[in-house]
Amino acid sequence: SLQANLQEVKRGVLDALEHKDLPLEKMVETLIPDRRMTSSPVFQVMFNMMTSESSAKSSEGLKVEQLSPNWYRSKYQMTMYVQQGDSLNFNIVYKSSLFNADYMQHLEEQLLLIIDKMVTRPDTIIQELDIAAKPTTNTQIEQWDFLQD
């Protein structure tokens, strides 16, 4: 089910965080991945979750305010930036030499359907997930931006 899959991903992420101090160079040396000048040796898609706990903080007369980036850049084939606040804002940056706007539009539709199913039917078996239909609810996804890098 989707919930079981999320629990497995959570365990994997928590396990990976136990090794967060391992230098990337050591990991690459150990894994010995295929090296190409056109792509990253370990992964091609990055997911970056940004939470907005509070936009302004103070410390002994110093006021610190988090600024929203007005541009995004992808060092990889695709980078998805998700900003969480009262709703979710998505920005996907992609290499236009690899993907076209039509493909990214299709990806957006599929991601919205998957998110909708995860919210409305979390016990659904993943193999039975129908991502060809329209979303049944209005999930709180406020903005999608697709930026070519």
Side-chain angles (χ1 to χ4, degrees):
S1 72
L2 292 169
Q3 276 187 325
N5 185 265
L6 284 175
Q7 289 302 316
E8 186 177 329
V9 169
K10 180 181 178 181
R11 279 191 303 275
V13 168
L14 292 175
D15 288 346
L17 287 174
E18 289 181 16
H19 305 287
K20 67 182 178 185
D21 296 327
L22 180 69
L24 179 64
E25 294 80 16
K26 180 68 174 167
M27 185 175 71
V28 171
E29 179 183 306
T30 303
L31 293 173
I32 312 171
D34 290 338
R35 303 291 300 242
R36 292 181 222 135
M37 296 300 291
T38 58
S39 65
S40 171
V42 181
F43 62 93
Q44 287 76 40
V45 177
M46 175 179 269
F47 180 84
N48 191 350
M49 182 76 176
M50 302 175 287
T51 57
S52 301
E53 294 171 9
S54 175
S55 61
K57 297 179 182 182
S58 299
S59 175
E60 295 187 32
L62 177 66
K63 182 178 178 183
V64 179
E65 184 175 340
Q66 180 179 349
L67 300 176
S68 296
N70 58 2
W71 62 271
Y72 296 90
R73 180 162 162 62
S74 180
K75 292 175 23 179
Y76 309 102
Q77 292 178 7
M78 184 185 311
T79 301
M80 178 184 288
Y81 297 93
V82 180
Q83 188 166 21
Q84 180 183 9
D86 295 334
S87 62
L88 295 176
N89 293 309
F90 287 78
N91 291 288
I92 297 179
V93 182
Y94 62 95
K95 299 282 184 188
S96 58
S97 60
L98 299 171
F99 304 105
N100 64 33
D102 289 338
Y103 177 82
M104 297 311 292
Q105 181 67 34
H106 178 72
L107 178 66
E108 172 192 0
E109 292 167 6
Q110 287 186 316
L111 286 171
L112 283 172
L113 288 168
I114 290 168
I115 292 168
D116 178 68
K117 299 293 183 185
M118 291 174 73
V119 170
T120 59
R121 296 178 33 215
D123 294 324
T124 302
I125 303 296
I126 293 173
Q127 290 82 353
E128 297 173 3
L129 189 64
D130 177 18
I131 59 171
K134 295 278 185 215
T136 56
T137 63
N138 183 10
T139 55
Q140 280 211 313
I141 296 176
E142 193 171 280
Q143 172 186 349
W144 281 90
D145 284 330
F146 292 93
L147 308 168
Q148 295 179 7
D149 187 17

